[in-house]
Amino acid sequence: MRPPALNYVRAASPSDAAELLGGNAIPIAGGQGVMRDIRARTLQVGTLVDISRILELDYIRLTDDALEIGAVTTLATVAEDPTVRANLAALATAAGRVADVQIRNRGTVGGNICGSWVPSWWGNDVGTVLSAAGGEVTVLGRGGARSLPGAEFVAAETNPLAPGEIITALRFPRWDGSAYIRLSRQWADAGIGSATACVRRAGAGITVGLAVGRVHHRSVRLDDVARTIESDGLDAPSVRAAIADATRGFTVPSTTHADADYRRAVLPVLVHRAVSAALDNGGIR
Ligand SMILES: Cc1cc2nc3c(=O)[nH]c(=O)nc-3n(C[C@H](O)[C@H](O)[C@H](O)COP(=O)(O)OP(=O)(O)OC[C@H]3O[C@@H](n4cnc5c(N)ncnc54)[C@H](O)[C@@H]3O)c2cc1C
């Protein structure tokens, strides 16, 4: 369907974007989610503020304690970047699992983590990694800059950004190893479930960051499960029980890809595979 008539403006800087946004104006980055919703009339917009050419939001930077990605960095860039692959393999894998090459070439990490509350929900693969890693979302609005916990951002029921705010960057703390597992029948379908694990050496033990996606309608961090793995070990029966407890309240629909019982049953397997792969990735065992 053709989109209805709307206005289009291009922002020159993050502060320019913050000035242009608000009311019925929203940001467009890669446009891979927003144009679909506008054409389907599931989203009514007066003005699109194009932030995709703001070069200062297009970067990948490794610091002593974090990996920082500018909001308009494309998914294709993140998937292929050697710094991301070496320092947060889960993020490179997740970005590389989004849709197809055309969408990854245009779609951005900032747009991807907004996937939770846009009408055309397709999961948000990057958001699951942000949640597991304990990452932060940096935003800028007319009132200045602030940071939001990534896990809360991607699990929010409605858009947590104030009118006029844009995401400027995603910040991931450094981990020793990480892995992202997404189970789907075909590469680009909506999927059956996903799990991200991040691991770090902690004395004789490990610290674990864990989140699951594509099961419930949000990506959710599983802190109690992570603590159980740290104390009892990955293969302990208590881990399976902790996953059952943590996911009991999930809304898990049956789809053409798998029924709800299967999707629940496969979650412990995905978690086990993700943590195992993260330990291997970090050279921890
Ligand atoms: C066929 C198809 C398959 C898909 N498959 C997947 C998939 O497998 N996995 C997956 O995770 N996603 C998938 N998607 C969803 C989506 O295309 C991608 O997540 C994409 O990365 C969105 O990024 P974008 O830059 O194109 O966002 P846009 O479409 O430009 O924006 C999406 C939303 O985010 C907001 N937004 C964008 N950037 C910012 C910012 N910096 N600050 C504030 N708000 C912002 C926009 O206002 C809009 O509400 C799919 C989409 C389609 C159409």
Side-chain angles (χ1 to χ4, degrees):
M1 238 198 291
R2 283 170 186 268
L6 44 78
N7 299 314
Y8 168 90
V9 284
R10 188 178 289 168
S13 66
S15 51
D16 188 30
E19 286 301 321
L20 292 165
L21 288 167
N24 62 1
I26 66 161
I28 179 169
Q32 300 305 297
V34 83
M35 288 313 298
R36 189 174 184 275
D37 293 328
I38 289 172
R39 280 198 298 267
R41 271 50 175 186
T42 49
L43 180 67
Q44 274 77 45
V45 175
T47 301
L48 287 174
V49 178
D50 187 348
I51 59 169
S52 66
R53 315 266 179 105
I54 304 178
L55 291 181
E56 66 196 89
L57 299 184
D58 185 0
Y59 63 87
I60 293 172
R61 193 180 294 148
L62 187 67
T63 68
D64 285 347
D65 56 359
L67 176 67
E68 295 172 0
I69 317 266
V72 305
T73 311
T74 66
L75 295 159
T77 301
V78 170
E80 287 155 23
D81 185 82
T83 302
V84 179
R85 291 167 89 121
N87 290 280
L88 194 61
L91 178 60
T93 308
R97 281 299 271 111
V98 174
D100 51 42
V101 69
Q102 290 86 353
I103 288 175
R104 293 195 295 276
N105 279 342
R106 301 282 314 174
T108 64
V109 291
N112 188 268
I113 66 159
C114 293
S116 295
W117 52 84
V118 294
S120 61
W121 184 85
W122 278 86
N124 50 8
D125 291 288
V126 169
T128 312
V129 180
L130 186 71
S131 183
E136 289 174 5
V137 182
T138 309
V139 306
L140 179 77
R142 284 173 221 152
R146 65 184 179 120
S147 279
L148 304 170
E152 287 176 24
F153 191 96
V154 298
E157 292 294 328
T158 54
N159 186 343
L161 297 174
E165 278 187 330
I166 60 160
I167 301 162
T168 52
L170 310 188
R171 187 174 185 280
F172 301 84
R174 293 185 69 165
W175 293 83
D176 292 327
S178 66
Y180 179 75
I181 306 279
R182 173 174 159 178
L183 179 66
S184 53
R185 281 176 179 251
Q186 295 183 56
W187 181 262
D189 70 29
I192 294 168
S194 74
T196 305
C198 299
V199 293
R200 187 186 292 127
R201 290 179 188 83
I206 53 167
T207 300
V208 178
L210 194 61
V212 291
R214 301 190 165 275
V215 181
H216 188 45
H217 64 302
R218 297 282 183 272
S219 298
V220 179
R221 197 173 151 86
L222 301 184
D223 284 334
D224 289 347
V225 179
R227 299 297 82 79
T228 307
I229 294 170
E230 289 166 5
S231 60
D232 299 359
L234 179 58
D235 295 317
S238 53
V239 173
R240 194 170 271 270
I243 294 171
D245 279 350
T247 58
R248 191 158 290 126
F250 281 17
T251 313
V252 184
S254 290
T255 68
T256 49
H257 304 288
D259 66 23
D261 288 344
Y262 178 81
R263 298 178 77 194
R264 277 187 182 281
V266 84
L267 259 186
V269 179
L270 297 181
V271 167
H272 193 283
R273 284 186 191 168
V275 178
S276 295
L279 291 169
D280 290 343
N281 175 251
I284 293 177
R285 59 168 196 185

